[in-house]
Amino acid sequence: MSRSIPMAAAGVSRVSSTLTGITRSYYVMGAVSAFAFLAVWQAISMHVSPIILPTPAKVAQALVKLTVSGELPKAAADTIWPFAAGLVVAFVVGTVVGLLLGIFQSVARILDPYIFVFWSIPHIAWLPLFIAWFGVGNSTLIIFVFVSAVFPQLITVETGAKQADSFLVEVARSLGGTRGEILRVVVLPSTLPYIIAGLRIAVGRALVGIIIGELLIVATGIGYMLQFYGETLSLARYFAPLIVIAILAIGLNRAVNWAERSFIRWKPQAFA
């Protein structure tokens, strides 16, 4: 009896460690959640009309057909390049301006109210002005994506620059450091978590911006496919561009996570 208790405890410990390893495996948990999602989807779609919710098999067939025909790859390409252009410019401008405003407080006091006003205006309200100023085309689409993404990046980076350790800044100044050296050695490393956090928000805003822009500006790409198949109630085909958006969002989130792990290795995580 006395020997069975330690053996049972050891067995429980092994099971517990195994379960812990499984739950910590990102890929296993992702596969399990995807399977559960598809199972629930299949169960619901079997009891409703296909017009309301097609089955996963029908969506998969539509996805293959649209891919083989070239319609979906072309729409994805038409969406990705203006999205990437607008996001990259927004990231660079938002990061640089945010750092400068965080350092030069006098300039920030003048510009911050205007930044907040522009950030508070719904982005879709800018569309008539952008169309009137820049016409209908990909350049307007890129500008709209830029405006959608730049403000969260700018505001987050500015906040991070203002949170730089004042003691380290004073030490750098006492050692004769210039503003550029202080920015590079002290402010920029301490702002990196905020830069990554701003990028995470900017990616989501840019995705929303590109779809809205394609719906209302150029009538091309993934946004136009959503509009066309939604209006014709071809829901099996409607889900195909949604899947592309989901894959793009997951891929970008993975990329941001990789950047966070690569550039902020020195920052400990409270919940790993």
Side-chain angles (χ1 to χ4, degrees):
M1 180 69 177
S2 59
R3 294 181 178 179
S4 62
I5 294 177
M7 293 177 61
V12 171
S13 177
R14 286 195 297 269
V15 172
S16 177
S17 62
T18 302
L19 291 176
T20 302
I22 292 175
T23 55
R24 287 184 177 179
S25 174
Y26 184 87
Y27 297 102
V28 171
M29 293 304 296
V32 170
S33 63
F35 178 79
F37 173 76
L38 290 175
V40 173
W41 182 358
Q42 176 68 29
I44 296 175
S45 62
M46 290 174 61
H47 296 86
V48 298
S49 170
I51 298 178
I52 298 176
L53 183 65
T55 63
K58 292 290 185 183
V59 173
Q61 292 175 3
L63 180 63
V64 171
K65 289 180 180 178
L66 290 173
T67 302
V68 172
S69 68
E71 181 180 353
L72 189 58
K74 182 180 183 304
D78 290 340
T79 297
I80 289 173
W81 84 262
F83 163 80
L87 179 61
V88 168
V89 176
F91 174 75
V92 173
V93 172
T95 301
V96 172
V97 176
L99 286 171
L100 294 177
L101 291 179
I103 295 173
F104 299 100
Q105 298 292 318
S106 57
V107 179
R109 281 192 289 270
I110 297 173
L111 296 182
D112 277 350
Y114 297 98
I115 293 173
F116 181 77
V117 168
F118 286 121
W119 167 241
S120 302
I121 296 174
H123 297 154
I124 197 170
W126 293 105
L127 277 179
L129 293 176
F130 289 166
I131 293 173
W133 293 341
F134 307 111
V136 176
N138 284 323
S139 59
T140 306
L141 189 59
I142 294 173
I143 292 171
F144 186 68
V145 172
F146 166 81
V147 171
S148 299
V150 70
F151 289 109
Q153 184 70 28
L154 191 158
I155 294 171
T156 307
V157 172
E158 180 185 354
T159 301
K162 290 178 179 178
Q163 299 299 320
D165 194 324
S166 59
F167 175 75
L168 295 179
V169 172
E170 290 302 324
V171 170
R173 284 175 179 168
S174 66
L175 295 175
T178 63
R179 279 189 178 270
E181 291 171 337
I182 293 173
L183 172 63
R184 186 179 69 256
V185 177
V186 179
V187 178
L188 186 58
S190 66
T191 311
L192 272 176
Y194 293 86
I195 293 175
I196 300 299
L199 177 60
R200 195 183 303 277
I201 301 171
V203 165
R205 302 290 298 187
L207 275 174
V208 174
I210 190 68
I211 299 303
I212 292 177
E214 288 180 337
L215 285 171
L216 302 177
I217 297 176
V218 295
T220 59
I222 297 297
Y224 178 71
M225 288 185 70
L226 290 171
Q227 182 182 31
F228 178 78
Y229 290 121
E231 290 177 349
T232 57
L233 295 180
S234 302
L235 292 192
R237 293 183 172 230
Y238 180 86
F239 275 93
L242 280 182
I243 292 173
V244 173
I245 296 174
I247 293 173
L248 181 60
I250 292 172
L252 290 170
N253 184 61
R254 292 277 189 89
V256 173
N257 289 340
W258 173 85
E260 186 175 24
R261 290 192 302 269
S262 301
F263 297 109
I264 320 178
R265 294 179 179 178
W266 49 267
K267 190 177 187 300
Q269 294 183 351
F271 305 100

